[in-house]
Amino acid sequence: MFKINTIDGNNRMSTQDLLESVNAALAEGETEFYIEASGQHDIGGPLWHPEGKTLKFFVKNAGQRVGSMCLPGTEIIVEGSASADVGWLNAGGRIVVKGDGGDTTAHCAAAGSIYVGGRAGTRSGSLMKHDPLFDAPEFWVLKNVGSFSFEFMGGGIAVVCGYDSEKFESVLGDRACTGMVGGIVYFRGKASGISAKDTKILSLNAEDIAYLDGKMDDFLTAVDRTEIRNQLTDWSQWQKVVPLSYDERPKKANTNLNSFRTGTWVPGSIFGDVCDDDFAVIGAIATGEYRRRVPVWENTKYSAPCEFNCTASIPSQQRFNLLRDGKIDEAYRLVLEYTPFPGSVCGAVCPNLCMDDCTRKTVDISAQIGRLGSYSAEAELPKAEAKTGKHVAVVGGGAAGLTAAWQLARLGHDVTVYEADAKVGGKMEQVIPRSRLPQETLTREIRRIAEMGVTLKTGVAVDKEKFAAIKDSHDAVVVATGAHITKVIPWPGHEQLVKGLDFLKAINRGERPAIGKRVIVIGCGNSGMDVAVGAYGLGAEQVTCIDVQRPAAFEHELAHVKNLGGEILWPVTTKEITAEGIITQEGQLIKGDTIIISIGESPDLGFIADGIEFDRGCLKPAGDFSVAPGIFTAGDTIRPGRLVDAIGAGREAALAAHAYLNSSSYAANQKTKIPAGRMSTAYFKKCHSCDLPEANNDYTRCISCGTCRDCHMCLKSCPENAITRTIGATGAEYASDPNKCIGCGICSGICPCGIWSMDTNAEPIKFYR
């Protein structure tokens, strides 16, 4: 807490020095302030924390305007009383004065709350107002207020509790609520002199009582007077003041304002020498250039959470929209523009990060995006209409390499994939258990890549000489050899370890590696769980999986191993490998006949030409995925990761290589996730897991965040019929007619997809010469 005493001997700190000290402390990260003031002004004013943390001020002996222009996230507690203008122009802060407030307390308050634990002076609550885009300001006074209170009040809520005020003829003072046009004033006790031409006094209804009763505890706790709650909650003693409606107010004779301005007032206007006055009278509700805000249709400006979280950038909301429109084949083909493995990866082994942050989860259950991929396993895309005459080599036939080859072939290039193994597919073919990734699905999707025109050459080991030959015979090269070297820590006895990657590859080749009855797996990631499952499939009686940290595998993978009888232990740090098992750093022996290590892999890049930059054993590409002119890389050669990461990188590398072949530059598309507050989910009915449709029918639940789902809600809800719908090249398009639109914001508020935004009207008004 930052503490400061503004009196040093006979010297008093100036207001400017105090405020500068507070700002300096705030810049150093302080969020709580205790100030022994001596009448300094503006303490706790318009301040904010760069990280959005709450700022708290504890103040004694405050001067004028404590909490003036206070912002949201600021709380000010004043011990004792404060002088004039407490909370002047309060814009969202919480201000508590435990004693009396001076004149014009809460003057011009527009948001936030002001609590006074004593009396408030004259003109308190005057000019309070309420911007409907924000919560209404609240002003509570325990005792009474002075004359001219709530003068010209335009909005907000004021509460005068009238405690210890029986001696006053009016707890609202004299001539209260003069010129009041908005808001509400609750008061307890006697009141007189209230402007009858502007207001009326009513009894409380159930909604009023609910509000006062719900807020009373917060107020009394803040001002340390909880013991008088029962005394203040006899609602028969309370009334309220509200402004008269337009129809209730006395009317004056009609005056032709335009005639007055052009004839009676100064001809040409009082400012005729500097501006051209059109003498138009701008009403509270305006169209065209005089609107305060204008709607903007921002279709596809933002990424949906599913698209943003997917490292392959698949716009699943667009797939669901196509299904909703009955364009089934088009929906299934759309995913092929981003990945050639919708069935193998999206529908089988992907962790489906797209579903983790799905907006639908705020209603019930995420849309079934993962399962949707399996419907695209047999979809087809047409070949490129024309060939470019360029030849591209892809070294490595895993997820990244085959994705790059697929994309480059679709762009019209001749592509050859060089794979060292007998089959292409990388870890999808060699490592992932068939139980998780069916062989027929992968085979079908690799066949689709070949049918796109990609030449697949297997059994080709690439060394430096071969790589140089490939580079010389092709216009560009994409290196995507993956990571196939199991990481091994050189503990004593590490020679006895079985490498997890070799173990899984052997199983997928149809072999049966010899293992003991008790197996220890070092590493509790998803690969470690695959090793454990494989060990049980080979006849292991007990599998113990250990890790130095919390297991990184998915919960369902951990649960599967546990259901098979496996044991998950962490944190466990290995000290030595012995014939009996593992000795931990604590000296404990974990018995095991076979010990398999699966703590990650690194790439084998010994074939890379000299001069290419490395970073911790991996390639270090530029922003366009290039490591040298005409040589690009993707996937585990940059950083070992998930299959979906490799697919996304493979696509980006292909687009970068395509730009290079066309002598242009390439920059990756930066995605921006749509702010959650833009969507309106109240229109969607909840369902339970038992009510879920099939994935290809889940478009009824998809909110289509950031992409128009053509629901017509804005069209039907616009009170001025200002919105029009047309069919363009990409589907339905909506627009707002500025000559009809009044800037009310209903279209933005009702849009479930967050397409409409309300922007400040930037259209210049031609007025000054």
Side-chain angles (χ1 to χ4, degrees), residues 11-24:
N11 296 320
R12 173 185 178 273
M13 178 182 285
S14 70
T15 293
Q16 180 176 345
D17 288 343
L18 173 60
L19 298 183
E20 288 180 354
S21 297
V22 169
N23 283 327

Side-chain angles (χ1 to χ4, degrees), residues 575-641:
K575 180 180 180 181
E576 184 179 353
I577 311 297
T578 70
E580 290 75 29
I582 288 177
I583 299 176
T584 69
Q585 288 289 353
E586 290 74 24
Q588 177 189 4
L589 173 64
I590 301 176
K591 294 183 178 181
D593 307 315
T594 302
I595 304 172
I596 307 174
I597 187 167
S598 181
I599 59 172
E601 299 84 32
S602 58
D604 181 0
L605 299 170
F607 62 89
I608 294 294
D610 296 336
I612 291 179
E613 191 173 355
F614 282 75
D615 181 19
R616 289 177 291 185
C618 296
L619 292 175
K620 187 178 180 181
D624 63 352
F625 290 83
S626 67
V627 294
I631 302 177
F632 302 85
T633 189
D636 289 352
T637 52
I638 301 174
R639 182 178 61 251

Side-chain angles (χ1 to χ4, degrees), residues 455-540:
T455 300
L456 304 175
K457 292 187 176 183
T458 58
V460 180
V462 176
D463 54 16
K464 282 195 174 185
E465 183 179 351
K466 180 66 175 177
F467 183 74
I470 289 174
K471 181 180 180 301
D472 290 341
S473 58
H474 293 80
D475 297 298
V477 179
V478 177
V479 176
T481 49
H484 291 269
I485 301 176
T486 299
K487 292 182 179 179
V488 176
I489 298 176
W491 297 296
H494 70 274
E495 301 84 1
Q496 304 174 54
L497 293 172
V498 175
K499 295 179 179 179
L501 206 58
D502 296 343
F503 178 75
L504 291 172
K505 287 182 177 181
I507 293 176
N508 269 23
R509 288 195 298 267
E511 301 172 10
R512 295 186 61 82
I515 59 170
K517 296 298 183 182
R518 292 177 298 183
V519 175
I520 301 173
V521 180
I522 302 176
C524 292
N526 290 319
S527 294
M529 297 305 102
D530 287 341
V531 169
V533 172
Y536 274 117
L538 293 173

Side-chain angles (χ1 to χ4, degrees), residues 20-31 33 47-50 55:
E20 288 180 354
S21 297
V22 169
N23 283 327
L26 179 61
E28 293 296 323
E30 292 288 348
T31 57
F33 303 84
L47 300 172
W48 62 89
H49 192 278
L55 303 179

